[in-house]
Each structure stands twice: as C-alpha cells, then as structure tokens.
Amino acid sequence: MNPHLSIMIVDDDPTLLKIMHHQLSFLGIRHINTIEDSKLALKMITEGYRPDYLFCDMRMPQLDGPSFLRALAEQNFPGKIVLMSGEDERILSTVKELATSQFLNVIDSFKKPVSQRDLKRIFAEAMPKPTEPERKKDDYALRPLSRHDLILGLSNQSLTPFYQPKLNLKQMRVSGLEVLSRWRTAQGTFLAPFFFIPVAEEHNLIDLLTLNLLEQVFTDIHKLREKWPEFLYAINFSVETLENRSLPELLEQTLRKNDIPPESIVIEVTESRIARHRTNMLEVLTRLHLLGFSLSIDDFGTGYSSLDRLKELPFTELKIDRGFVSDAMKNEHGLAILRSSVQLARDFQMSIVAEGVENLETYNLVKTEDCDAVQGYFVAKPMSLNQLLDWLTRNSAPVKLAQ
C-alpha cells in the first residue's frame, strides 16, 4: 500500500469516523482527514486540498450527499470517490449514477458500515499492478487512432479478429465464439475497439472496417468448421452498418463463397443504440432473420426501451450485460434484475448468455439461475486464431472449469 495516499472521510457520525480511521491506518495509510461537517470539507477542497480518495456519506445535516457531490463537480474535483450510506441500496445506485453524469470519478458505493474487506478491495484494485510496465503519456497505445491511421492500417491489415469462447452450461461444452476486433499497432500491441470504432463511425469508415473484418472472420470460420461444425459465431454490427439495406445480400453472398450456412452466424445488436436508428434497421434485421441468421440483443437492460425492442424485433438470444451480472453478486436488487431478465427471455423463447463471468462464484450463480451459456475470463479471454486453435484443442469439453 502506498503510504503517501491522501484520504478524506466526510460523515457526521464520529464513531464511524474513528473506526474507518483505524481501518485505513491498519492498511498502512497515513494521511487521513476525518471531517464531520460537509461544508467544512467542501471549504477545504475549494481552497486547494485534493485528497486522492474521498469517502462521502449521503445523509449529512449541513449538505446532503447529492448537494455535496454537485458542489464537488463544480470544483472539477479529480479524486476517486466512494459513496457510503445507511439508506436503501437503490439510493446509492441513483446517487452514483447522478455523480457519474456530472463527470465525478465514483469508483464504488457501500452500505454502512464499510468493512475492512471492502477497503482492501478498493485499494487493491486502485493501485497499479507492480508487474505492469510503465507507459509514457505519448505512448501510441494510449491515444485514439486518427482517420489517417485507420485508412493506412486497413491497407496494412492492422485490423485483427479475436475470438472469445462461450460455454454452454447444459452440455458443458464450448458452443460458440464471439468475434471481437482488435487493432495491431506498429509496436505489436493490440488496441481495444474503444480506440478506433468511434473514430470509424465519426468519419463514415465503419462499413469499410466491418467488411475488412468480415473477410478475415469468414476465412477463419471456414477453417474452424472443419473440426467444430456446430459452433455459432456471434458478430457485433454497428447500427450504422445495419441501416444498410444491401447488407443481407452482401452477407449471404460472402457466406456462400466460404461455404458457411447463415444458421452459423449470430448478429449481435447493442440494445442501448437501437433507438437511434429506426428507418431501415427493422427491415434489415427482419430480412437477416428470414435468411436464417440468429439475432442477439447485446447489453440488455442498458437502454431505455428494452421491452419495445423485444416486441418489435425477432431476437433469438438475450445477452445479460456484465454490469447486471456483477450487481447480482453484490445485492438482492441486482439478483432480482438477473432473475427477471432470465424469466423475460424464457417468455420470449430466447436463449440466455451471461457476460462478464470472471470467477467461480459468478459462474456458479448464473448457472444456478438457469442461464444457457456464459462468457468471460473464467471460461477464456479473447484470443487470436492461433491461440484459439491451441485452446480449443486442449478444452474441447471444459467440464473442469466448473470444478
């Protein structure tokens, strides 16, 4: 633990302040300010005090939690914030969303009292791993790509497909793969989609990127089908691409050229973005469904019209967002959302995939709650084709993952 970390705790309960001071001292932290008066805490921050971590109660007599956080946002407070409350967990969730919308860095929230275990987890996750190499601020891998980078990189085959296995919980076998895109830099590192997809969408290059990726993916699928003909391959399409009315014919022709049946392909659509484009997308998705493609609604529950989307579009699979899977491990409300999502999918006769399954505990939960398949680092991380082939050879029936 870094002894130079600066911590501020704002709470009107002096007993809680003493306990947390002791807990943090036990972790090796020396610079701890405990403040009972939220107005005084705000005055200190306004005058230049900038703690690395700020623990903040929600119910305080001077300034309540939301008012205190709004004032912090007006000060452009840069520190990490942890919310605390004795109120219902839904209040914490609401305030956390409010603070995040004001560009505050809220890293966690807890019902009081905060346990020593919770504190250890907060600081263990926040501290940089000692094995990570230091990066310079101007490191190529830390900046988004430009339009020029994309055009040049496509000609150099920088766009690379990665694959993440899905484990069927009924058969205890790998049932398919999600296709993920990565960008290979000149240094040989790989960038996540965050660094290039928004740029491609901004400069109307997303169709070009999609077609470039699909050419590689379909070649890979043709190879994989020789040994694993039953696999389903999930491909996430941007809403912009799904607005293209020629997409069904293009996909059908490309699949036929590679001897791949459309029934092997799952078209994933991110639910939170569906409502932005409606004119052509409904037609395109319906035609794809009629051609034999399966349709999956990704990140379900993160948008604003989830039920309308299920009613209007012929989805066959529902992917539960990793955030809801994580919440189900933390509290009863999260578990209730997971269960209701599973029941909703059953009512619509859809299969259910739980995303973000990172450990045995989460795996056991989603299996108990009757999800059909899981995806996450507990099963396998995303891999290049060569890594995948080696992994599949060793894990064609990975029952051992559940042990």
Side-chain angles (χ1 to χ4, degrees):
M1 179 61 62
N2 183 352
H4 301 292
L5 284 178
S6 175
I7 312 296
M8 174 183 272
I9 312 170
V10 186
D11 196 298
D12 63 331
D13 183 347
T15 302
L16 180 137
L17 291 177
K18 290 179 181 177
I19 292 173
M20 288 194 65
H21 190 288
H22 175 75
Q23 290 173 315
L24 293 169
S25 297
F26 184 79
L27 292 177
I29 298 172
R30 298 289 175 261
H31 303 284
I32 306 169
N33 275 307
T34 57
I35 313 292
E36 293 184 37
D37 187 324
S38 55
K39 286 187 176 180
L40 174 59
L42 182 61
K43 182 175 182 294
M44 292 173 63
I45 291 172
T46 302
E47 292 176 350
Y49 176 58
R50 290 291 188 267
D52 298 302
Y53 290 82
L54 171 63
F55 290 78
C56 171
D57 186 27
M58 291 297 96
R59 184 186 287 275
M60 296 180 288
Q62 303 84 14
L63 282 175
D64 60 29
S67 300
F68 182 66
L69 291 168
R70 183 177 67 251
L72 289 179
E74 292 171 355
Q75 296 289 328
N76 296 316
F77 179 71
K80 298 178 175 65
I81 299 173
V82 179
L83 306 179
M84 308 182 297
S85 178
E87 303 292 329
D88 189 288
E89 288 174 349
R90 286 174 291 183
I91 296 295
L92 275 171
S93 178
T94 300
V95 176
K96 183 177 180 180
E97 183 176 347
L98 176 64
T100 302
S101 71
Q102 295 171 325
F103 304 102
L104 291 171
N105 184 15
V106 180
I107 62 171
D108 220 326
S109 59
F110 296 103
K111 287 198 68 175
K112 296 193 296 187
V114 181
S115 70
Q116 188 78 8
R117 179 182 178 184
D118 291 334
L119 292 175
K120 284 182 179 180
R121 181 169 62 80
I122 288 172
F123 292 106
E125 292 178 354
M127 294 296 289
K129 303 295 185 295
T131 56
E132 285 187 359
E134 293 187 4
R135 295 179 182 269
K136 298 179 182 179
K137 289 185 178 180
D138 60 347
D139 190 337
Y140 176 82
L142 296 182
R143 65 173 177 83
L145 301 178
S146 67
R147 180 179 183 275
H148 175 74
D149 291 332
L150 291 182
I151 294 174
L152 180 63
L154 287 174
S155 63
N156 294 330
Q157 296 184 323
S158 296
L159 188 63
T160 305
F162 270 48
Y163 301 92
Q164 186 170 35
K166 296 180 184 179
L167 180 67
N168 185 301
L169 296 177
K170 314 300 181 188
Q171 303 173 355
M172 289 308 301
R173 297 183 65 88
V174 175
S175 58
L177 306 165
E178 178 173 3
V179 177
L180 302 165
S181 57
R182 298 290 186 267
W183 191 272
R184 188 179 63 254
T185 70
Q187 291 76 20
T189 57
F190 289 95
L191 302 183
F194 167 80
F195 290 93
F196 56 91
I197 293 298
V199 180
E201 292 176 341
E202 178 185 353
H203 294 287
N204 297 317
L205 295 172
I206 191 65
D207 282 351
L208 186 62
L209 257 72
T210 300
L211 293 176
N212 184 291
L213 184 70
L214 288 178
E215 288 180 3
Q216 301 179 66
V217 168
F218 289 158
T219 299
D220 291 349
I221 292 176
H222 181 78
K223 297 176 183 176
L224 288 162
R225 278 179 53 79
E226 294 178 4
K227 191 169 183 179
W228 297 280
E230 74 283 3
F231 280 3
L232 297 178
Y233 299 88
I235 305 173
N236 198 309
F237 283 79
S238 73
V239 176
E240 287 75 14
T241 301
L242 290 172
E243 283 279 286
N244 185 348
R245 288 182 172 177
S246 64
L247 180 65
E249 289 84 358
L250 175 64
L251 288 180
E252 187 180 27
Q253 293 171 6
T254 309
L255 288 176
R256 188 182 300 118
K257 182 175 68 175
N258 289 278
D259 193 27
I260 302 170
E263 290 78 12
S264 296
I265 306 298
V266 180
I267 307 292
E268 287 193 1
V269 189
T270 302
E271 186 259 338
S272 59
R273 300 196 62 198
I274 292 176
R276 300 182 188 177
H277 301 260
R278 300 298 305 279
T279 306
N280 298 327
M281 189 184 63
L282 181 61
E283 174 190 332
V284 171
L285 288 175
T286 301
R287 290 171 59 203
L288 288 169
H289 178 70
L290 293 173
L291 287 171
F293 293 88
S294 296
L295 304 181
S296 174
I297 183 165
D298 194 13
D299 292 345
F300 177 74
T302 59
Y304 299 99
S305 305
S306 305
L307 295 179
D308 285 343
R309 302 293 80 76
L310 291 181
K311 180 180 66 177
E312 296 174 1
L313 297 167
F315 290 106
T316 55
E317 178 185 272
L318 183 149
K319 295 190 76 174
I320 301 176
D321 178 65
R322 65 180 61 248
F324 292 118
V325 173
S326 176
D327 286 346
M329 296 296 302
K330 297 178 181 178
N331 55 63
E332 293 182 359
H333 297 112
L335 182 58
I337 292 174
L338 173 65
R339 287 174 174 168
S340 63
S341 298
V342 170
Q343 184 58 53
L344 186 64
R346 294 290 176 227
D347 292 342
F348 278 86
Q349 298 182 325
M350 301 166 66
S351 61
I352 306 150
V353 179
E355 295 185 290
V357 177
E358 312 297 337
N359 52 54
L360 178 60
E361 188 179 10
T362 307
Y363 169 85
N364 287 334
L365 173 67
V366 297
K367 186 175 183 180
T368 301
E369 296 302 325
D370 200 31
C371 293
D372 296 305
V374 296
Q375 180 180 344
Y377 273 51
F378 180 68
V379 177
K381 65 179 182 180
M383 296 171 272
S384 66
L385 178 64
N386 289 335
Q387 292 171 326
L388 174 70
L389 291 172
D390 179 63
W391 187 91
L392 286 173
T393 301
R394 293 181 286 107
N395 297 277
S396 58
V399 178
K400 62 184 179 183
L401 292 177
Q403 302 304 313

